[in-house]
Amino acid sequence: MNGTSEELSPSAVPTAGTALDDATLSGARGFRHGAAVYGSDDEMLGIALPYLEEGLRGGDLTVLSCTAETAELIHGALGPAARGLESEAGLVLGDTRAPDVFTHLRQYAHRATQGGSRRLRVFAEVRATDDPRQLREEMRIEAVVNTVVAELQLTNLCAYDSRRLDPALVTGARETHPTLVTGAAWAPNGAYADPEEVVRGLPSFHEPLQDTPPLVAIDAAPTLPELRHRLTGALPTAVRDEEQLEDLKLGISEVAANAFRHGSRPVSGRLWSDGARVVCMITDSGTSFDDPLAGFTPAHGFDLGRGGMGLWLARKLFDHVDLFAEPTGFTVRLSTELR
């Protein structure tokens, strides 16, 4: 991560700020993104309740995206007012990948404005994980969201439970949230960093499968159909789930097409699998592309008839998509667990 070494604990969050009622978050324009850290259920409720109550009073479409345990605590504390809340697990990472989180946020924000609500208001509990790859994905989505949904009428409060989360994830909240929240106070965060720089600074994990002989190795592929055929043709021996097989074929095909259409030749590809995981790398010889936020939304917007969906589809279909812009070429690495 970029330069933040001090862990963000509940006591470290600034208490100076504007009380929620005075901040009129329901009347704010565009995207508001805050982080709150807590170490007890009481602290969580002290943050969640004024935020949610203000949204319900103000006519926001107010949505919980949290564990059943947290939702039960909130509903119990709100009492009858909780009937106005909605729940949607797909607004945070977990079983939902980043492009689909952003799509769900857009759909809910559209519902809010079309249905007479002032804006969408989300209480999003960050999910615990012991997988360093997923930890990085969480940090990545928290940075990227500041760019890809910046125009939405949305207030998103990200809740970090310091009892359950990796300290690195809690620390990372300082870089990825423009606002820090304590109780009902929202305070500007001086440690907030540019999303592109945050994403560039995240660790790049070595895939152990790359140390083994690949199932497919093709250098200087003569044509796009040849590269697609060789890479996707090896998948049926490794992927048991038919639906996932088709998804992975599509993701690899789209990235291969990008390499030929937008990159420079020669183009090469590698595919590995051990029956539990698939890794695919596609490299072209271009050196000008360097956008760490690419693929979190379609390149040409959500008019899908205009194309630009290759990396976006790959991020939807694979657990992890890594981009490596190097002096010798541009590489997209796709990796996923197999069902």
Side-chain angles (χ1 to χ4, degrees):
M1 294 182 298
N2 294 322
T4 302
S5 58
E6 179 187 357
E7 180 179 343
L8 180 65
S9 64
S11 60
V13 180
T15 55
T18 306
L20 196 60
D21 287 339
D22 295 331
T24 59
L25 296 179
S26 294
R29 300 291 298 172
F31 181 44
R32 301 271 330 253
H33 191 204
V37 179
Y38 55 88
S40 70
D41 292 345
D42 286 343
E43 284 183 302
M44 182 275 292
L45 291 173
I47 294 161
L49 295 185
Y51 173 73
L52 297 170
E53 288 170 341
E54 205 264 357
L56 293 170
R57 286 196 308 269
D60 293 346
L61 175 57
T62 306
V63 184
L64 297 180
S65 194
C66 58
T67 63
E69 176 187 11
T70 299
E72 182 178 0
L73 289 170
I74 289 172
H75 276 260
L78 281 176
R83 289 194 294 268
L85 294 176
E86 294 194 19
S87 294
E88 172 55 68
L91 301 183
V92 297
L93 279 184
D95 295 331
T96 308
R97 296 187 177 115
D100 293 321
V101 170
F102 300 143
T103 297
H104 291 151
L105 285 171
R106 289 180 182 280
Q107 290 170 341
Y108 269 84
H110 179 74
R111 251 191 67 201
T113 56
Q114 295 300 305
S117 300
R118 288 188 175 185
R119 62 194 283 114
L120 172 63
R121 178 181 296 237
V122 178
F123 180 83
E125 182 181 14
V126 178
R127 303 301 169 86
T129 179
D130 56 6
D131 180 353
R133 295 183 186 91
Q134 193 64 17
L135 190 73
R136 181 193 56 176
E137 291 300 323
E138 183 62 53
M139 296 179 187
R140 185 182 283 174
I141 193 174
E142 290 282 32
V144 172
V145 72
N146 294 295
T147 297
V148 300
V149 302
E151 82 286 1
L152 296 185
Q153 298 306 302
L154 163 64
T155 303
N156 202 85
L157 174 55
C158 298
Y160 286 75
D161 187 341
S162 62
R163 299 168 296 180
R164 300 183 175 92
L165 298 179
D166 188 296
L169 186 56
V170 178
T171 299
R174 293 187 73 94
E175 292 184 327
T176 55
H177 293 78
T179 307
L180 299 178
V181 181
T182 302
W186 288 56
N189 174 20
Y192 173 67
D194 177 80
E196 289 194 16
E197 294 307 311
V198 172
V199 173
R200 283 195 178 96
L202 292 174
S204 176
F205 290 99
H206 177 67
E207 287 283 358
L209 274 179
Q210 294 176 232
D211 298 329
T212 67
L215 297 179
V216 177
I218 179 170
D219 295 310
T223 65
L224 172 57
E226 175 70 9
L227 180 61
R228 280 173 162 167
H229 174 72
R230 293 277 302 277
L231 291 174
T232 63
L235 286 173
T237 63
V239 185
R240 296 174 295 276
D241 185 280
E242 288 294 326
E243 182 179 358
Q244 186 176 33
L245 173 61
E246 295 306 313
D247 285 348
L248 302 191
K249 284 181 178 179
L250 176 58
I252 290 172
S253 295
E254 289 289 335
V255 172
N258 275 1
F260 269 88
R261 292 170 184 163
H262 307 299
S264 301
R265 298 190 186 188
V267 177
S268 64
R270 298 287 186 277
L271 181 79
W272 296 263
S273 181
D274 59 1
R277 188 171 184 81
V278 162
V279 176
C280 181
M281 292 182 66
I282 297 173
T283 301
D284 70 73
S285 300
T287 59
S288 61
F289 185 83
D290 184 21
D291 180 3
L293 308 187
F296 288 100
T297 58
H300 303 308
F302 284 88
D303 178 1
L304 301 185
R306 300 176 61 196
M309 296 181 291
L311 275 176
W312 179 65
L313 282 171
R315 291 195 189 278
K316 284 168 67 69
L317 300 172
F318 280 81
D319 291 338
H320 308 290
V321 176
D322 295 300
L323 312 180
F324 303 98
E326 299 171 332
T328 56
F330 178 71
T331 297
V332 178
R333 184 179 67 188
L334 312 170
S335 58
T336 199
E337 298 290 333
L338 293 177
R339 298 198 286 264

